[in-house]
Amino acid sequence: MTESSETNDKPLILIVDDSRYLRLKLRQVLEGDGYTVAEAEDGQQALSIFKRFQPDLVLMDCVMPVMNGLSACAQMQAFPGGNRTPVIMITGLSDDNAVDDAFNAGATDYITKPIHWAVLRNRVRRLMRARQTEASLDKVEALARSIISRAHDGIITVDTYGVVKSFNPACERIFGYAPGDVIGQNINVLLPDFHDKDGFIVSQLIGEDEVCGVSSEVVGRRNDGSAVPIEFTFSDFCVHRQCFVTLILRDITERKRYEETIWHQAFHDNLTGLANRMLFKDRLALAMAHAKRNNNGLAVLFLDLDRFKLINDTLGHDIGDQLLNQVGIRLRNCVREDDTVARMGGDEFTLLLPEIMKAEHAARIAQKVVEAVRQPLKIGEHELYISTSIGIVLFPDDGQDAETLLKNADTAMYRAKENGRNHYELYASSMNAKASERLSLENSMRRALERREFVVHYQPKINVKSGGITGMEALVRWQHPKLGLVLPGEFIPLAEESGLIVPIGEWVLKTACAQNKAWQDSGFPSIRVAVNLSARQFQLQNLVEVVSRVLKTTGLDPTCLELEITESIAMQNAEHTVSVLNQLNEMGIQLSIDDFGTGYSSLSYLRRFPINKLKIDRSFVAEIGTDSHNGAIASAVIVLGRSLNMGVIAEGVEREEQLNFLKDHDCFEMQGFLFGKPMPVEDFTHFLMAQKQPCNNN
Ligand code: C2E
Ligand code: MG
Ligand code: MG
């Protein structure tokens, strides 16, 4: 055998025969047919050539010295791949035993001597063709196996019942199962949603050309029970009338995460993490549709920070950015989880408040936001103060679509800026004039304290027996920049409702005490100042503390202070009243019941309260000298006061007739226009100076 056969592309045939002549003859015939030929003269030699060159076909004599053809054939089968090489036995024997022996030893075919050359050549050709087909199949299979085992994608083959037939290493990585765990199991172990309810989906997929190769997404389940997003395509194939489906799948966790990030970036502001304009509009459209369906409303608050540019320009964008971020956090904290807070750009923010019908409700939230934003912010070294102006619109009153609503909210916000910043404005059409007036009053009242627009007037209380002044009542007024002097009847109820009465009341108390002390210090005799307490103030847990702090800071003697509460306040929570009044009484403060007769007093409680004086309401004083009742109630109150051992003072005394009636009924202390109206400090100072003899006898 020549070495050239190694590189030769022609099929190689090994001829094994001890007859040199026959080998030569065979060589001639086979080479003539285009094969390469190798020769061996016995079985042993044949084995070593077989092992080294792996011929495509062997022609072998049965009877040979050293090692006969049968045992050489049998041993060739044992070599790797040896059983796939066709062996044609050539023998002179043609009895049944000889044929059986040859096939038992692994021979593929059998030919007898004398050789019929045409038969030999055709058999060789047929076997060679089969051999080549087999080789190319081997190649295809090896290729497929290498692709499947190295593929980055998972590849699973299932039969028409969904039973897993193969499961590649990529699938092991995706699902965490070993092939042995899933081969033979149903695919729904891995892809629970893959089946339809009848479990027939796999068989239905076969032959569905339009879905073959189309990628779909499904949720897979890992060995540890966790879910994994999967993208897959499938193809089907049939072998020997049996059909299979191959799924090529991929773990798309990363892609999903990436898509989520992209989605988040597309719809959120990357500085504050809040929704951006696009998402806000989308949510607004949804909320409007929802509100329409349910006959409900919603509110949009449009915010712009006041003088933000100044911070940005003086402290730099870095600080500006941090500030915007902090504001974003505060806004989030002001609203509920399902409200949307968005940054529209720059220093503009919006709030979407679903299910709000009333302007008042939106206004309360806006006020909360104003308060939250104006709290000092600590950014690095800096303590920053910022405020915000807010425009409020309501759906459906202020606009039927998102654009109009935002435009109108923006308009309202600008109005808030024009009117002095740091507050909210409602878009005008959303409310009737009265509500609008009320809210704007509440709004400006809030700022009135800071702007020192409140003043206290003092009205004297007179002892008509001596003609001297016994005390004075402090009455608050609001010096409104546009409306002029506003009387308490117009703003106290609103202040009470909004809670503003607490800081206003405390201011009045402080002012009245300080003023009384100032009058005393400038030489006027000590008289008592009476301050009205509202229900809300009286319910405060720390009322006693506040009063004693004010007395301490102003230096006023507690006996020079009187507190007026109405019957209804006193009776609201009688136990609380007893305890608070006792504490105030122990401090030396005088206590009186204002507007007595207009409420519903329980006389037994009244007896338990440490009250010094009843003030007859001016409506009963007004009845004196008229046809109706003619002072009956006033005289009854006087009797009641006396029997309860309390002093009685009549307020609203305007006429001599009333004065005389009261005097006749033993009521000597009075307050009213007849003696003096509530006066500003200077006027009251003159009033005091005009007094001949103060009277401090009660
Ligand atoms: P009030 O405590 O009963 O005060 C007496 C009111 O009667 C005052 O009205 C006073 O101006 C008015 N008045 C006094 N004499 C006459 C008179 O001869 N004729 C008439 N027609 N009226 C007279 P004003 O100042 O408008 O106060 C109304 C109410 O507002 C007060 O009634 C009091 O309940 C409340 N108020 C005033 N200042 C304060 C305050 O600082 N805190 C609280 N919580 N309430 C206050
Ligand atoms: Mg009063
Ligand atoms: Mg009164």
Side-chain angles (χ1 to χ4, degrees):
M1 135 121 226
T2 56
E3 288 294 325
S4 69
S5 65
E6 264 184 291
T7 52
N8 200 335
D9 279 346
K10 294 178 192 169
L12 174 65
I13 298 178
L14 173 59
I15 301 165
V16 192
D17 204 308
D18 55 342
S19 155
R20 205 160 158 248
Y21 164 74
L22 201 64
R23 290 204 307 270
L24 191 65
K25 185 71 185 141
L26 280 165
R27 177 186 278 277
Q28 271 172 358
V29 171
L30 295 170
E31 282 184 346
D33 276 358
Y35 301 109
T36 306
V37 171
E39 290 177 31
E41 55 186 43
D42 59 48
Q44 196 132 56
Q45 213 175 36
L47 282 177
S48 74
I49 293 173
F50 186 93
K51 196 171 165 189
R52 183 162 169 211
F53 295 106
Q54 292 159 15
D56 298 292
L57 188 138
V58 180
L59 274 170
M60 186 144 65
D61 191 14
C62 268
V63 184
M64 287 179 294
V66 187
M67 183 189 285
N68 71 24
L70 290 177
S71 55
C73 181
Q75 287 187 46
M76 279 172 188
Q77 307 301 307
F79 289 136
N83 59 348
R84 308 189 73 168
T85 310
V87 178
I88 302 176
M89 287 305 226
I90 306 171
T91 176
L93 306 167
S94 64
D95 58 291
D96 285 0
N97 281 345
V99 173
D100 282 350
D101 287 349
F103 281 107
N104 285 341
T108 319
D109 210 343
Y110 181 91
I111 202 161
T112 48
K113 289 178 190 170
I115 295 171
H116 189 311
W117 293 102
V119 170
L120 173 85
R121 285 169 58 213
N122 277 296
R123 288 202 177 156
V124 166
R125 203 176 299 146
R126 183 177 52 78
L127 283 173
M128 206 54 104
R129 218 181 299 128
R131 170 74 184 126
Q132 269 161 5
T133 308
E134 206 176 66
S136 38
L137 279 177
D138 283 352
K139 253 188 235 159
V140 171
E141 199 192 319
L143 178 68
R145 202 174 299 129
S146 115
I147 290 172
I148 289 172
S149 67
R150 299 228 157 80
H152 189 68
D153 288 345
I155 301 171
I156 300 175
T157 310
V158 293
D159 67 12
T160 48
Y161 300 102
V163 175
V164 177
K165 295 294 175 187
S166 76
F167 187 79
N168 76 339
C171 280
E172 294 178 43
R173 289 194 295 276
I174 296 172
F175 293 100
Y177 282 107
D181 300 334
V182 280
I183 289 177
Q185 302 285 329
N186 197 286
I187 184 75
N188 62 15
V189 173
L190 306 169
L191 307 175
D193 301 331
F194 190 65
H195 276 228
D196 68 3
K197 62 180 183 341
D198 302 320
F200 286 130
I201 196 96
V202 177
S203 53
Q204 281 171 8
L205 291 174
I206 291 179
E208 292 286 331
D209 282 347
E210 60 281 10
V211 284
C212 246
V214 176
S215 71
S216 321
E217 287 181 15
V218 71
V219 177
R221 192 137 321 274
R222 290 199 189 89
N223 192 11
D224 61 9
S226 59
V228 51
I230 297 283
E231 181 191 69
F232 72 95
T233 57
F234 72 90
S235 54
D236 55 354
F237 63 95
C238 292
V239 184
H240 298 305
R241 294 189 304 279
Q242 231 201 313
C243 290
F244 298 91
V245 170
T246 299
L247 298 163
I248 299 179
L249 39 88
R250 172 174 299 187
D251 174 352
I252 52 169
T253 308
E254 275 307 307
R255 197 183 81 196
K256 287 269 167 209
R257 206 171 289 150
Y258 181 68
E259 281 171 2
E260 247 162 54
T261 316
I262 295 282
W263 187 89
H264 195 270
Q265 279 169 357
F267 292 104
H268 290 82
D269 166 46
N270 58 7
L271 176 65
T272 58
L274 297 173
N276 65 9
R277 180 183 288 268
M278 223 162 29
L279 182 58
F280 183 82
K281 283 193 167 172
D282 193 54
R283 297 245 175 105
L284 179 56
L286 270 176
M288 286 192 304
H290 192 262
K292 243 187 218 163
R293 251 199 325 275
N294 299 308
N295 250 339
N296 213 331
L298 63 85
V300 172
L301 272 51
F302 196 104
L303 282 87
D304 188 285
L305 300 183
D306 301 326
R307 301 194 182 91
F308 174 71
K309 194 173 169 316
L310 194 71
I311 291 184
N312 236 1
D313 291 349
T314 49
L315 300 175
H317 289 244
D318 215 36
I319 300 284
D321 284 356
Q322 290 185 53
L323 183 135
L324 290 172
N325 208 6
Q326 297 281 322
V327 168
I329 294 169
R330 289 186 180 183
L331 296 183
R332 265 255 67 98
N333 289 339
C334 285
V335 295
R336 290 175 312 191
E337 193 66 27
D338 45 350
D339 297 337
T340 300
V341 180
R343 179 171 170 233
M344 303 297 262
D347 60 345
E348 284 178 358
F349 296 85
T350 45
L351 271 69
L352 167 60
L353 313 171
E355 284 164 31
I356 284 202
M357 298 288 277
K358 286 195 169 162
E360 283 87 340
H361 293 164
R364 296 258 179 277
I365 297 173
Q367 186 54 40
K368 199 168 146 190
V369 170
V370 167
E371 294 298 335
V373 173
R374 63 181 264 179
Q375 298 309 311
L377 277 159
K378 189 119 180 74
I379 294 176
E381 307 270 279
H382 310 276
E383 186 167 69
L384 300 179
Y385 290 84
I386 188 109
S387 61
T388 183
S389 300
I390 305 178
I392 304 174
V393 282
L394 294 176
F395 172 82
D397 296 2
D398 298 333
Q400 297 287 325
D401 58 89
E403 285 303 323
T404 314
L405 279 176
L406 284 172
K407 193 183 92 227
N408 291 343
D410 189 59
T411 307
M413 184 275 289
Y414 269 100
R415 197 147 37 95
K417 292 247 181 216
E418 280 162 19
N419 290 343
R421 302 187 172 92
N422 190 29
H423 73 289
Y424 63 81
E425 292 277 352
L426 283 133
Y427 186 67
S429 84
S430 65
M431 306 181 313
N432 57 43
K434 200 160 164 55
S436 161
E437 202 179 287
R438 257 170 60 99
L439 281 167
S440 100
L441 194 68
E442 183 179 324
N443 237 329
S444 43
M445 201 191 322
R446 219 172 276 285
R447 285 170 296 158
L449 256 183
E450 290 164 24
R451 297 179 177 181
R452 300 169 184 273
E453 288 171 5
F454 290 112
V455 288
V456 180
H457 285 188
Y458 299 88
Q459 187 180 28
K461 297 181 181 179
I462 304 292
N463 183 313
V464 291
K465 235 194 242 171
S466 65
I469 180 168
T470 60
M472 58 202 154
E473 179 169 6
L475 295 159
V476 69
R477 271 100 183 85
W478 178 6
Q479 190 64 57
H480 193 284
K482 284 186 192 150
L483 305 174
L485 196 70
V486 184
L487 290 176
E490 284 177 62
F491 66 89
I492 293 279
L494 195 58
E496 176 79 13
E497 203 180 300
S498 62
L500 275 171
I501 190 67
V502 174
I504 296 175
E506 191 175 333
W507 177 83
V508 172
L509 180 70
K510 214 183 307 171
T511 307
C513 290
Q515 184 58 53
N516 197 14
K517 178 79 168 98
W519 274 318
Q520 291 175 5
D521 289 350
S522 59
F524 291 109
S526 296
I527 53 168
R528 196 171 289 134
V529 66
V531 175
N532 294 283
L533 285 187
S534 81
R536 198 119 167 194
Q537 275 175 291
F538 195 71
Q539 296 307 327
L540 280 182
Q541 288 304 313
N542 63 347
L543 175 70
V544 175
E545 213 178 291
V546 169
V547 173
S548 57
R549 179 159 29 86
V550 167
L551 287 171
K552 208 164 153 203
T553 50
T554 57
L556 185 73
D557 191 312
T559 56
C560 290
L561 175 66
E562 178 175 333
L563 295 174
E564 297 187 6
I565 57 168
T566 62
E567 274 173 287
S568 44
I569 296 174
M571 297 302 158
Q572 239 170 47
N573 179 354
E575 290 308 322
H576 171 78
T577 305
V578 171
S579 135
V580 172
L581 293 185
N582 277 333
Q583 292 177 66
L584 294 170
N585 182 47
E586 274 161 29
M587 285 163 66
I589 296 168
Q590 293 274 308
L591 301 163
S592 47
I593 299 282
D594 205 355
D595 306 341
F596 191 79
T598 56
Y600 305 91
S601 279
S602 144
L603 293 181
S604 64
Y605 270 126
L606 204 55
R607 207 177 28 202
R608 283 182 58 199
F609 296 154
I611 295 292
N612 305 87
K613 211 181 283 177
L614 299 179
K615 292 188 81 176
I616 308 172
D617 187 68
R618 65 171 187 265
S619 61
F620 306 128
V621 175
E623 284 171 357
I624 298 171
T626 62
D627 289 342
S628 60
H629 306 109
N630 194 15
I633 299 178
S635 58
V637 173
I638 297 166
V639 174
L640 178 70
R642 200 180 304 127
S643 65
L644 287 173
N645 220 3
M646 294 173 184
V648 175
I649 173 171
E651 61 179 355
V653 181
E654 294 180 352
R655 301 190 305 271
E656 289 288 340
E657 190 186 4
Q658 294 162 339
L659 168 94
N660 293 331
F661 177 94
L662 292 161
K663 260 202 323 205
D664 290 348
H665 287 81
D666 285 343
C667 172
F668 300 105
E669 198 180 2
M670 297 179 202
Q671 179 183 348
F673 294 171
L674 187 62
F675 315 100
K677 289 193 169 179
M679 296 167 246
V681 172
E682 305 78 58
D683 295 1
F684 199 82
T685 310
H686 288 123
F687 186 88
L688 284 177
M689 288 194 297
Q691 290 294 307
K692 298 164 279 168
Q693 190 64 53
C695 172
N696 199 9
N697 62 348
N698 60 321

